[in-house]
Amino acid sequence: MDAGGYFSGLIQARGDYLDGINQKGFPEEQYPENDISVEAENRIKNLMWTVSGDYRLDTKLDVSSYSRSKYIAMYDAVKQGAFARFFDQNVLAVYLVKKIYYGAQERSLTEIAQLCVDAAVCRKIAAERPGVPELRRKAFSDLLELSFRRMASSLPGRIKIAMLKSFLDGEYTGEKKIMEALSKITSLETSENVMDLVRVTDELYNTLNDQSFEKKHGDLEHVLAVTMEELQEFDWKDFLEEEMTEDLLERYLNRMNSQVTSLQEEEDQEDRPRSGKHRVVLIDEAAAAKMYSYMELNYGKSYLPKREQERLNQRLCRGAHADCSLYLTDGILRNPVLSNAQYVNAKRHAEKNRTLFRNSRNMMARNIEQLTDELKRSLNRRSEPEQNASWSGDIVPRLLWKVGRTENPGKLFQKTEKRNTSQFVVDILMDASGSQRRRQSQVALQAYMISEALSNNGVPHRITGFCSFWDYTILQRFREYDAPREENLRILDFVTSSNNRDGLAIRAVGDSLLQRQEEGKILIVLSDGKPNDIIVNRPNCRNPKPYCGEYAVKDTAFEIRKLRSSGVCVLGVFTGREKELMAEKKIFGRDFAYIRNIEDFSKVVGRYLRKLLEEDSANF
């Protein structure tokens, strides 16, 4: 039977398509090696559907690998179908995503998972389809021939070589840790539970690839405890290397499903490390221009001249942020390059902010009035004259009786002294990362209420949002210090996306705040206490050290302490979940406000601002 006739039955109705498979094996297709046609793609997918028994299965297959080895492509399709049939593949995919969420190296982790999946399904599908072992043998032979050098360059790759040769030659002898890993993998051949695959994958990754993982991030139980909400809030855009979309997590889960059953070695992509030594990469002008153009398309044109931008980066992007850049913009809605998908998406989210704004007018008016009055009282108290007992000045008649009657009459005079009358300026810095997406509109309203109260008291203030994408930290300006109060409404254009490198954003905003003439300076940071900027390793691009966990918290806290030592009062307004409070405390110390209910916003923030203005007036 030729290939066309053999596969023709596979596209029939589900009730009879299983009859089209030859139980003795899989046929040899008669396609030219480089002819990856739609027809060939459909036939490979039909092979997966037939083995799985489910035409609804929509896992992406690497059909392009067919041109290199039709056996590898066919075996991957068989294995994908078998995995979906015998196990709950989503359980493994979700585990992988959660592990990567905590900083595991994607490629090393998925390579181990691939070997576990292969071991778990090979016997099961071979028992039903005797042709599978021969197909597996040919696929393994091609893989050794095509990718031996690449596999031999990594430990998971050498374990894969051991598995391939063990199957082809009947036995294999290698170094102890490889043989121990291979033994754990082959133990899965009789497994019926997908959690066995998860446990072996996790154990091998922690043993072979990152022995400090459990100490830094927790054991398997801790990894599995990550909620889907937390995964949704994380920005997976860098992992997917495609345009920003709403379903990034779903896309990434689907990719995990396809990767764990693929034998084909990646050619165009280096490993994606989450740890390791910092390295410097020189970027040519063409690549830099392309990256800068992408930033303009997605975040709007920068308002800084190119030379000034370069000087700013050279001065501020140092230390932990040496391989980073700053990008200052008024936002895509204010200064777009063109009306693209990101522009439309930003408009849609800005409209959500405006809807909540319209529906919350009474609450906001009440909070703004209370916060305005609180600030006014604090400012008045700062400027009121203060009378203190003194050794000179105006005599106090009621104290004269002490003269000659007491051995030490004390201070009999009163001196009127002016309190701190210095002017002050405020910066409001807002975390605009993807983790704030669910609270986006509330964060915008919080910043608006502070801004209105400051405007009512004539206090110059600036509002800036920050997020990070690739090696850029984007600072979006919503209001300048001396702008008219009408500019306060621009905060409703606040849109969240990507990651957040809090330390660099605080350093940049603090740098310009320190250049202001006002003696009193306050920085208010609205954040969720979770700095997180993990950049995927991109060839020929700068890849700063992963910025997350304790490392990121300590760096952010350091920038806060440095500003305070320069005389800036810093207040953190916590906008995250309660479980992140410990990180917020480490970053801001005792000067942070936790807003559980936006109705109480003015009361809580007003109390902290009063504390800054009165108790810390010595700093001004």
Side-chain angles (χ1 to χ4, degrees):
M1 180 184 292
D2 64 10
Y6 180 84
F7 281 101
S8 62
L10 299 183
I11 57 174
Q12 296 176 14
R14 182 171 179 175
D16 58 13
Y17 71 78
L18 287 172
D19 296 333
I21 286 290
N22 184 340
Q23 296 297 314
K24 294 183 179 180
F26 295 94
E28 300 280 336
E29 288 89 336
Q30 304 298 320
Y31 304 125
E33 288 295 318
N34 296 317
D35 182 17
I36 310 302
S37 63
V38 174
E39 184 180 11
E41 179 179 350
N42 288 338
R43 289 176 176 177
I44 292 174
K45 286 185 176 181
N46 279 330
L47 189 57
M48 174 186 70
W49 290 331
T50 299
V51 172
S52 68
D54 186 1
Y55 260 110
R56 295 170 300 177
L57 187 61
D58 190 29
T59 301
K60 183 179 179 181
L61 290 168
D62 184 15
V63 182
S64 62
S65 66
Y66 191 91
S67 62
R68 302 184 70 226
S69 169
K70 59 184 176 182
Y71 300 116
I72 293 176
M74 290 171 63
Y75 181 59
D76 282 349
V78 169
K79 189 166 51 176
Q80 180 69 71
F83 186 44
R85 178 177 177 183
F86 296 115
F87 296 95
D88 186 345
Q89 57 181 357
N90 288 327
V91 171
L92 180 60
V94 169
Y95 154 74
L96 295 174
V97 172
K98 289 180 177 182
K99 188 82 169 177
I100 292 166
Y101 171 84
Y102 271 119
Q105 293 181 358
E106 179 191 298
R107 183 171 177 181
S108 297
L109 183 66
T110 52
E111 281 182 342
I112 294 170
Q114 288 167 8
L115 304 183
C116 292
V117 168
D118 189 274
V121 303
C122 63
R123 284 192 181 183
K124 295 177 178 62
I125 193 61
E128 295 183 358
R129 303 186 182 281
V132 169
E134 178 62 16
L135 178 62
R136 190 180 188 224
R137 185 186 66 79
K138 291 180 178 179
F140 281 13
S141 296
D142 282 0
L143 190 58
L144 280 172
E145 182 180 346
L146 294 169
S147 303
F148 182 86
R149 179 183 296 180
R150 194 173 301 111
M151 289 189 293
S153 65
S154 69
L155 183 56
R158 293 196 294 276
I159 297 171
K160 183 184 286 189
I161 291 173
M163 189 184 79
L164 300 181
K165 288 194 170 184
S166 178
F167 175 72
L168 293 173
D169 303 334
E171 60 179 357
Y172 180 82
T173 302
E175 57 185 293
K176 182 180 178 180
K177 61 182 176 181
I178 289 180
M179 298 310 296
E180 288 176 347
L182 184 59
S183 177
K184 286 183 171 60
I185 292 168
T186 54
S187 70
L188 294 170
E189 291 179 354
T190 57
S191 176
E192 302 291 338
N193 191 333
V194 70
M195 282 307 299
D196 293 337
L197 280 71
V198 170
R199 279 187 282 270
V200 172
T201 301
D202 195 72
E203 180 184 351
L204 290 178
Y205 180 85
N206 292 346
T207 302
L208 302 174
N209 200 76
D210 187 354
Q211 296 181 8
S212 64
F213 186 93
E214 280 198 21
K215 184 178 179 181
K216 292 186 294 186
H217 306 294
D219 58 11
L220 176 59
E221 183 179 356
H222 185 76
V223 170
L224 295 177
V226 176
T227 65
M228 293 305 292
E229 180 186 19
E230 289 172 309
L231 294 180
Q232 288 283 0
E233 290 179 349
F234 187 73
D235 185 45
W236 300 98
K237 177 164 48 279
D238 278 342
F239 291 81
L240 289 165
E241 297 179 351
E242 46 186 63
E243 292 294 314
M244 288 180 281
T245 62
E246 289 294 309
D247 58 350
L248 292 177
L249 176 58
E250 183 179 350
R251 286 171 178 259
Y252 195 55
L253 282 167
N254 288 338
R255 199 178 85 177
M256 287 296 100
N257 267 328
S258 64
Q259 283 191 356
V260 295
T261 54
S262 175
L263 280 177
Q264 189 66 41
E265 291 288 302
E266 296 181 9
E267 285 191 302
D268 302 324
Q269 188 170 293
E270 297 179 5
D271 197 3
R272 300 182 173 193
R274 304 293 183 266
S275 61
K277 293 185 177 179
H278 186 63
R279 65 190 186 92
V280 177
V281 178
L282 298 178
I283 308 172
D284 60 47
E285 290 187 10
K290 185 176 181 180
M291 292 165 63
Y292 194 84
S293 175
Y294 188 90
M295 299 305 298
E296 288 185 321
L297 284 169
N298 288 277
Y299 294 99
K301 297 176 183 177
S302 175
Y303 57 77
L304 278 185
K306 186 176 180 180
R307 288 185 178 275
E308 188 176 343
Q309 180 76 72
E310 290 174 352
R311 285 195 295 268
L312 188 68
N313 287 331
Q314 290 171 2
R315 187 162 55 84
L316 298 179
C317 296
R318 297 174 176 273
H321 314 290
D323 267 351
C324 299
S325 299
L326 290 164
Y327 187 81
L328 280 65
T329 176
D330 284 321
I332 192 170
L333 294 179
R334 187 81 168 187
N335 199 2
V337 175
L338 51 85
S339 182
N340 56 5
Q342 315 320 324
Y343 178 83
V344 173
N345 185 56
K347 283 192 70 173
R348 181 163 58 86
H349 283 287
E351 184 53 40
K352 289 182 181 179
N353 298 341
R354 286 176 168 78
T355 298
L356 183 62
F357 177 85
R358 290 190 292 268
N359 295 336
S360 307
R361 285 186 180 275
N362 292 336
M363 179 275 294
M364 286 192 300
R366 185 167 58 254
N367 273 274
I368 291 169
E369 182 180 3
Q370 292 173 356
L371 191 54
T372 297
D373 291 342
E374 190 75 56
L375 280 172
K376 186 174 295 183
R377 285 194 296 270
S378 296
L379 292 171
N380 287 339
R381 281 193 289 270
R382 280 170 52 82
S383 59
E384 287 174 353
E386 186 175 31
Q387 293 180 333
N388 298 309
S390 176
W391 296 107
S392 63
D394 299 328
I395 195 166
V396 181
R398 61 184 176 82
L399 299 177
L400 292 178
W401 65 271
K402 295 182 180 182
V403 178
R405 290 185 173 87
T406 61
E407 188 175 330
N408 183 16
K411 298 177 180 179
L412 304 177
F413 297 88
Q414 181 175 277
K415 181 175 289 186
T416 301
E417 297 177 346
K418 288 186 177 182
R419 288 192 180 185
N420 195 328
T421 58
S422 61
Q423 298 298 310
F424 70 98
V425 61
V426 176
D427 247 299
I428 302 171
L429 181 61
M430 308 167 62
D431 177 359
S433 65
S435 63
Q436 295 277 55
R437 175 59 55 85
R438 296 178 186 274
R439 300 176 291 273
Q440 172 183 292
S441 297
Q442 287 207 348
V443 173
L445 295 194
Q446 289 175 1
Y448 175 78
M449 288 187 285
I450 298 175
S451 181
E452 281 290 288
L454 292 171
S455 293
N456 289 340
N457 284 283
V459 178
H461 62 285
R462 178 177 62 176
I463 307 177
T464 308
F466 74 94
C467 66
S468 59
F469 181 68
W470 287 345
D471 53 320
Y472 283 92
T473 289
I474 299 101
L475 297 176
Q476 181 175 349
R477 179 178 62 181
F478 294 100
R479 185 193 194 280
E480 264 298 350
Y481 292 112
D482 300 306
R485 70 177 309 129
E486 290 77 18
E487 292 288 289
N488 296 350
L489 284 170
R490 281 191 56 207
I491 191 56
L492 298 179
D493 289 341
F494 178 66
V495 176
T496 57
S497 70
S498 304
N499 300 324
N500 52 305
R501 185 170 283 261
D502 297 41
L504 180 55
I506 289 169
R507 179 187 295 181
V509 169
D511 178 75
S512 55
L513 177 60
L514 287 170
Q515 296 176 34
R516 292 285 299 186
Q517 296 300 314
E518 293 85 355
E519 188 177 349
K521 299 176 176 66
I522 294 177
L523 172 63
I524 302 175
V525 183
L526 281 68
S527 73
D528 60 3
K530 194 176 180 180
N532 186 26
D533 186 27
I534 298 177
I535 300 175
V536 171
N537 185 25
R538 295 169 294 127
N540 301 319
C541 294
R542 295 184 306 184
N543 297 280
K545 178 180 177 179
Y547 190 81
C548 58
E550 193 69 18
Y551 171 70
V553 168
K554 286 182 177 178
D555 177 73
T556 306
F558 171 75
E559 294 297 337
I560 295 293
R561 290 196 303 271
K562 192 163 67 171
L563 277 179
R564 284 174 174 160
S565 67
S566 299
V568 178
C569 288
V570 184
L571 169 66
V573 177
F574 183 60
T575 59
R577 293 187 298 271
E578 191 165 355
K579 71 176 187 177
E580 306 294 346
L581 268 174
M582 287 306 298
E584 185 82 354
K585 290 178 181 177
K586 288 180 181 178
I587 292 172
F588 293 100
R590 58 191 177 91
D591 291 328
F592 77 93
Y594 180 22
I595 312 299
R596 289 180 171 85
N597 187 337
I598 196 169
E599 296 277 350
D600 300 325
F601 180 80
S602 61
K603 189 184 303 181
V604 177
V605 173
R607 182 170 66 246
Y608 278 90
L609 285 176
R610 182 177 70 242
K611 174 185 172 184
L612 290 179
L613 290 172
E614 295 180 0
E615 295 182 14
D616 296 335
S617 61
N619 290 333
F620 295 145

